[in-house]
Amino acid sequence: MANPIVRSRLFDDFFNDFAPGFFVKPLHGDPLPTAAQIRIDVKENNGTYTVEAEMPGVGKDDIHVSIDGSVVTVRAEIKQQDSQSSGERVLRSERYYGAVARSFQLPQDIDQSAAKARYDNGVLTLTLPKKQVSGSQRLTIE
């Protein structure tokens, strides 16, 4: 007899391929994005990392970026509200709220005080200067 857990996963995989997001897909508007749907490009040049993250449909005020050493986290709160009405009688009202986040580690720590973020036409652009590594210092022995 087949393992029921495997059978369940196969069933889920089939429906994910057949109708992705079928059970949580809004009737109107776009489906809520997942972390894998935040497409990120990272470029390095002359002491700076440039990160471009595609986040269409997200408001600028709903995006949060945090930096901890060399780890960058991009988080977005998704709010969609669909409604249809005819006169004073509401026939349907739907609300979708959620959050999606993606973290990644860069090869070197970031200078948080000089970091900049810009959001334009669904693309978040981060300019992240590398933290200057101080050279080794020789101590004088007394």
Side-chain angles (χ1 to χ4, degrees):
M1 183 166 173
N3 185 346
I5 294 172
V6 172
R7 188 180 316 152
S8 175
R9 253 194 338 237
L10 290 173
F11 184 74
D12 292 343
D13 289 345
F14 171 75
F15 278 103
N16 281 337
D17 291 340
F18 181 70
F22 176 75
F23 295 106
V24 294
K25 187 174 182 180
L27 295 175
H28 295 282
D30 297 327
L32 298 176
T34 63
Q37 289 174 317
I38 298 176
R39 305 287 186 221
I40 293 179
D41 294 331
V42 180
K43 300 173 186 170
E44 178 182 16
N45 59 9
N46 298 332
T48 302
Y49 296 109
T50 302
V51 178
E52 291 181 350
E54 293 179 5
M55 306 177 76
V58 178
K60 181 174 100 171
D61 295 333
D62 296 326
I63 299 173
H64 308 283
V65 178
S66 61
I67 301 169
D68 184 12
S70 63
V71 177
V72 178
T73 301
V74 177
R75 183 176 191 276
E77 295 179 18
I78 312 301
K79 300 173 187 170
Q80 292 180 0
Q81 185 167 359
D82 297 336
S83 63
Q84 290 183 341
S85 63
S86 175
E88 293 295 316
R89 184 175 160 210
V90 175
L91 300 177
R92 184 178 73 228
S93 178
E94 299 177 344
R95 288 170 275 313
Y96 303 95
Y97 299 97
V100 62
R102 182 150 185 207
S103 295
F104 53 94
Q105 185 168 7
L106 297 170
Q108 192 171 337
D109 286 355
I110 303 303
D111 182 1
Q112 296 177 20
S113 63
K116 295 180 182 177
R118 188 179 81 238
Y119 185 68
D120 188 34
N121 290 328
V123 178
L124 174 68
T125 303
L126 305 174
T127 304
L128 308 171
K130 298 176 184 177
K131 187 177 267 188
Q132 296 300 321
V133 179
S134 59
S136 62
Q137 179 181 0
R138 184 173 180 169
L139 294 177
T140 304
I141 301 174
E142 295 177 11

